[in-house]
Amino acid sequence: MTLSDSIVRWRYRLVPDHLLGEILTKRWVDNAIPLLILACVMAVFGSLIPDFFGAASVSNLMRQWGEFGLIVMALTIVMVAGGIDLSVGSIFALGNIVALTLMHVAELPVPLVVLFTMACGAAVGLVNGLLVGFLRLRAFLTTLVTLIIVRAVVDMILLKYAVAIAAVFPDSDFWFFFGEGYVLGLPFSVVLTIGVAIVLHLVLSRTRAGWHVLAVGGSRRSAHNVGIPVRRVICATYVVSGTLAALAGVLFASRLGAAGADIGIGLEIAALTAAVLGGNSLGGGRGSAAKAVIGSVTVMIMVNSLVRIGITSGGSSLLLGLVLLGAVMIDVRWLKNRQKFLSKVYVSPTYSALPAAPATDGASPYALNDRLRPVEAIGLDRIDGPEDVILDANDNIYVGNRTGDIVRFLAPDYDQQEVFAHVGGRPLGMAFARDGSLVVCIGGMGLYRVTMDREIQKLTDETNRSWFSVIDDSRLRLADDLDIAPDGRVFFSEATVRYEMHEWPVDCLESRGNGRIICFDPNTGTTRTVLKNLVFPNGICMVHDGQSFLFAETWACRVSRYWFDGPKKGTVETVIGDLPGYPDNINRASDGTYWLALVGIRTPALDLALKMPGFRRRMARRVAPDEWLFPNINTGCVLRFDESGRVIETLWDRSGDNHPMITSMREHKGHLYIGGILNNRVGRLKLDGVDETWTAKRSYWGQS
């Protein structure tokens, strides 16, 4: 290795470039800028205002935030569904005057005051919801009209009952507890708002109703097409918004006990500024209670601090307007360019130097030949993408297809086929368990079992999460091959934790070591990762000692052996380290050796590019994906090797006509059955000089 290669190798080993892309994929990244703005606001005003962090100052600010926070969350709910509610300030004023009238004039019990006031807010929200949701009027204009009408109603109530309200002082500790009481040392309004925020977070992130709101905000047409009642969801968000705004009015009435014509004026602008500043999208489909809390705290600190340092109300409104303009600009630009920026930084190639490719001519064990030319096609044009192939004791063939089915070809002539099970995801590696059930790796779903009665059962779809992983690597993205130990433990490979099923070639571009091997123990129901940082681990095959298995790392062009039991437990040894192509599935042969599929053949251009991570990064950013350098998967190969790594024979199809692309093969009763994830057939090749009674099932479980 040259000095320059060593420098590049260590640079990409020590600098975790991929972390930036992984961080940007996290949902909490949207809160990073709002939190930074909040910290800056606190630092600036904390240095300008004496006793800014004093107990009295903080307590007064918290009470005001309790009311304002409810209004921001009311507006956030509507925004998440793709709407806008400019009437929240007027509904807040309505809640204040109605609560005071019912308490001071009608002298109703406090629970009824709260209930009736919230009902008034819900009624206004229902009007908004019916007009916007069911009559499909524009939200901006509709709620603007509602703002004017509700404000007029507030003024009329104020003219009629203002004197009566001012003349009465209710003698109710329970009433004043809403505005002045404490719970665990915190103002009641703050505790109530935090509770509402928690409920809102759980609803949006954990319930079907919340998912419906997010779906409607993301795309109303798509939400309608999947059966979501869009109009009802939109109407419900306005009802909830009106209810929360009225509840904030109750807290304000209890705290100050005052009624004025200016209450709530301009509050909708402050609430909108807070909601957008917190990271809630004006376009809908993106928002949370946490964003509402962050934005409301920031705006509340700004407004109160400007008053304390002597800025007039006009100056305060001007600043809020400028902040809202900046927040909208950031929201629009970020929403428009986030995926574009993420696509440029997420793919993070690293340095990968493969050993020299062995020769494929002359006396080389990998010498080219045409031994796959006699392969006969089973199910030609009747199957799409049989990645793995396996046979049962009755000689029936099982393969997965691209549409989520496990298809069974019936012996002996295989002319008839049937859907054995519809699993939904992409069936990949398969193995028969001792009880006859079929265990399957399903891309994007995890590890599943199909019983002899065709019942589909999930075994596991997650494993233990890594302590220092930025992404959630507990979820299984691409479980692709498996084998079963004598005690029933299932060892299966997950090719990559960074990419989904349809993105598997991008992992080759990275060659970072994003894969792992996982063990599921049916005896305990537990799942754990046993090997990490593997370069697209793929085929897995149990060795005959019952204590170890062979596994292939596709982009590393090597086959290794791992001991999971016995005196060498935990040890990994390389069996073949310099394959001429990219290994895929591994399966047992009848003479105690092992079959290995090469999904593609190495090329000098890609081998060189693997040493040039900077080149591959630029390629990913500047070139269309269909023009990237990829492995040559047009030439398939099957080889047979022993436990020491000695290659015994190879089977090629040089023309690429008969069976061009190979991901798996399975020996059964004197024939080799071949699958390929991009093929439209199952291949069958007659083998010479082998035990024609041998089956893999008998090799594993001793059954005929």
Side-chain angles (χ1 to χ4, degrees):
M1 181 181 296
T2 65
L3 178 61
S4 60
D5 284 346
S6 298
I7 293 174
V8 173
R9 176 172 175 265
W10 282 105
R11 174 257 183 269
Y12 282 93
R13 174 172 292 187
L14 297 176
V15 180
D17 301 74
H18 62 290
L19 288 183
L20 175 60
E22 291 179 353
I23 290 174
L24 290 177
T25 62
K26 305 302 292 183
R27 295 178 61 184
W28 50 259
V29 170
D30 287 344
N31 297 336
I33 294 178
L35 281 173
L36 180 61
I37 294 174
L38 174 59
C40 292
V41 167
M42 294 179 64
V44 170
F45 289 112
S47 62
L48 294 177
I49 301 174
D51 198 33
F52 178 79
F53 297 104
S57 175
V58 172
S59 177
N60 181 58
L61 183 65
M62 290 176 68
R63 289 191 186 279
Q64 296 179 56
W65 172 81
E67 301 154 9
F68 183 63
L70 284 176
I71 298 174
V72 176
M73 277 185 279
L75 183 57
T76 296
I77 294 171
V78 177
M79 288 174 59
V80 170
I84 192 74
D85 189 358
L86 298 179
S87 65
V88 288
S90 296
I91 298 176
F92 170 78
L94 178 66
N96 174 68
I97 192 66
V98 168
L100 291 175
T101 302
L102 295 176
M103 190 68 198
H104 291 236
V105 180
E107 297 182 352
L108 294 180
V110 175
L112 290 180
V113 171
V114 176
L115 181 63
F116 287 159
T117 304
M118 293 175 65
C120 287
V124 177
L126 180 61
V127 172
N128 284 331
L130 292 174
L131 294 175
V132 177
F134 286 91
L135 298 183
R136 299 185 179 181
L137 301 184
R138 293 192 177 275
F140 184 88
L141 294 177
T142 301
T143 56
L144 180 61
V145 172
T146 309
L147 178 154
I148 298 171
I149 294 175
V150 173
R151 176 61 60 181
V153 173
V154 170
D155 290 341
M156 289 188 292
I157 298 176
L158 186 63
L159 286 174
K160 186 173 184 179
Y161 294 109
V163 175
I165 291 173
V168 177
F169 187 81
D171 185 18
S172 172
D173 293 336
F174 185 34
W175 169 247
F176 291 111
F177 176 78
F178 283 89
E180 300 178 357
Y182 288 88
V183 176
L184 300 176
L186 293 175
F188 172 75
S189 60
V190 173
V191 175
L192 178 62
T193 303
I194 293 175
V196 171
I198 293 174
V199 172
L200 177 59
H201 167 74
L202 294 176
V203 168
L204 290 178
S205 62
R206 297 291 187 273
T207 68
R208 178 175 297 179
W211 298 336
H212 285 180
V213 171
L214 290 167
V216 169
S219 173
R220 293 186 180 181
R221 181 180 296 275
S222 298
H224 173 74
N225 290 339
V226 298
I228 295 175
V230 174
R231 298 181 181 183
R232 193 189 313 163
V233 170
I234 294 173
C235 183
T237 60
Y238 281 98
V239 172
V240 174
S241 175
T243 304
L244 291 181
L247 179 59
V250 173
L251 298 177
F252 183 83
S254 173
R255 181 167 63 90
L256 295 182
D262 60 341
I263 290 176
I265 292 180
L267 193 57
E268 60 279 343
I269 301 301
L272 182 61
T273 303
V276 178
L277 190 62
N280 296 295
S281 175
L282 283 169
R286 180 169 61 89
S288 68
K291 293 179 173 62
V293 169
I294 295 171
S296 60
V297 171
T298 303
V299 170
M300 183 55 57
I301 292 175
M302 291 173 56
V303 171
N304 279 266
S305 299
L306 289 173
V307 173
R308 292 179 63 178
I309 62 179
I311 302 297
T312 62
S313 59
S316 176
S317 299
L318 175 62
L319 180 60
L320 279 181
L322 293 175
V323 170
L324 177 59
L325 178 62
V328 170
M329 291 175 59
I330 293 174
D331 175 67
V332 172
R333 298 303 297 177
W334 172 247
L335 195 64
K336 181 178 180 180
N337 296 298
R338 178 181 182 180
Q339 290 301 322
K340 184 185 299 184
F341 178 71
L342 183 60
S343 66
K344 291 184 176 180
V345 301
Y346 191 79
V347 179
S348 181
T350 190
Y351 181 90
S352 177
L354 297 177
T360 56
D361 57 5
S364 169
Y366 303 106
L368 295 173
N369 56 61
D370 288 312
R371 293 184 58 186
L372 290 180
R373 179 166 295 180
V375 170
E376 59 179 299
I378 296 174
L380 183 63
D381 291 329
R382 291 186 288 135
I383 189 71
D384 185 10
E387 195 274 344
D388 195 12
V389 55
I390 193 169
L391 293 93
D392 62 17
N394 297 318
D395 304 334
N396 299 312
I397 299 174
Y398 298 76
V399 294
N401 67 11
R402 201 177 305 278
T403 59
D405 299 322
I406 297 177
V407 177
R408 177 163 63 181
F409 289 91
L410 302 179
D413 52 16
Y414 304 119
D415 288 335
Q416 294 184 349
Q417 69 183 73
E418 63 179 0
V419 175
F420 177 69
H422 179 72
V423 295
R426 186 70 166 87
L428 299 174
M430 297 181 287
F432 278 111
R434 186 186 296 273
D435 63 0
S437 60
L438 184 63
V439 184
V440 188
C441 284
I442 304 178
M445 293 175 59
L447 187 68
Y448 281 70
R449 173 172 56 203
V450 183
T451 67
M452 300 179 69
D453 297 327
R454 303 191 185 187
E455 179 185 356
I456 301 172
Q457 301 172 347
K458 182 180 73 175
L459 298 181
T460 182
D461 61 359
E462 61 182 2
T463 183
N464 55 301
R465 181 169 181 174
S466 302
W467 283 99
F468 301 105
S469 175
V470 175
I471 61 174
D472 183 4
D473 63 352
S474 62
R475 181 177 71 88
L476 301 180
R477 290 176 179 262
L478 188 49
D480 57 355
D481 196 33
L482 74 149
D483 210 352
I484 305 175
D487 61 0
R489 283 180 292 174
V490 181
F491 291 88
F492 62 98
S493 57
E494 185 181 24
T496 174
V497 298
R498 300 192 82 220
Y499 297 100
E500 304 295 342
M501 175 70 197
H502 63 284
E503 301 171 311
W504 63 267
V506 186
D507 195 84
C508 175
L509 193 67
E510 283 198 353
S511 293
R512 175 169 292 279
N514 300 318
R516 56 188 174 177
I517 292 177
I518 300 167
C519 173
F520 169 74
D521 189 345
N523 301 310
T524 61
T526 58
T527 308
R528 63 182 180 87
T529 301
V530 296
L531 283 175
K532 296 193 298 183
N533 304 320
L534 303 178
V535 187
F536 209 85
N538 212 321
I540 289 186
C541 181
M542 285 291 151
V543 178
H544 295 279
D545 61 6
Q547 298 179 341
S548 62
F549 58 78
L550 301 167
F551 66 92
E553 291 177 87
T554 301
W555 311 137
C557 298
R558 65 172 172 249
V559 174
S560 303
R561 183 176 183 177
Y562 173 74
W563 276 266
F564 57 87
D565 271 336
K568 300 179 70 174
K569 181 178 180 180
T571 303
V572 177
E573 291 183 359
T574 299
V575 178
I576 307 177
D578 57 348
L579 288 165
Y582 302 96
D584 205 299
N585 285 8
I586 308 173
N587 285 305
R588 290 180 179 180
S590 56
D591 61 352
T593 58
Y594 304 90
W595 293 105
L596 171 68
L598 297 185
V599 69
I601 306 305
R602 292 166 56 178
T603 62
L606 185 56
D607 283 1
L608 179 61
L610 291 177
K611 300 180 186 179
M612 305 165 63
F615 164 77
R616 304 199 317 275
R617 184 191 301 272
R618 291 191 296 273
M619 179 175 65
R621 292 180 177 181
R622 302 176 185 177
V623 180
D626 58 351
E627 296 181 359
W628 290 353
L629 276 177
F630 285 121
N632 174 16
I633 57 174
N634 294 320
T635 303
C637 176
V638 176
L639 60 88
R640 187 163 60 89
F641 67 97
D642 61 18
E643 292 182 13
S644 68
R646 180 174 63 93
V647 176
I648 300 170
E649 62 176 331
T650 54
L651 293 76
W652 296 87
D653 181 13
R654 284 189 295 183
S655 64
D657 295 332
N658 205 18
H659 216 86
M661 188 264 197
I662 299 173
T663 54
S664 66
M665 72 279 102
R666 193 87 57 165
E667 183 178 344
H668 182 85
K669 293 186 177 180
H671 289 83
L672 195 64
Y673 295 83
I674 304 172
I677 198 170
L678 299 181
N679 288 343
N680 62 347
R681 72 201 81 177
V682 174
R684 180 169 66 172
L685 177 68
K686 180 70 171 66
L687 298 175
D688 297 326
V690 300
D691 182 0
E692 297 188 359
T693 65
W694 185 91
T695 66
K697 191 171 184 181
R698 186 174 62 187
S699 174
Y700 277 86
W701 311 117
Q703 299 173 358
S704 58

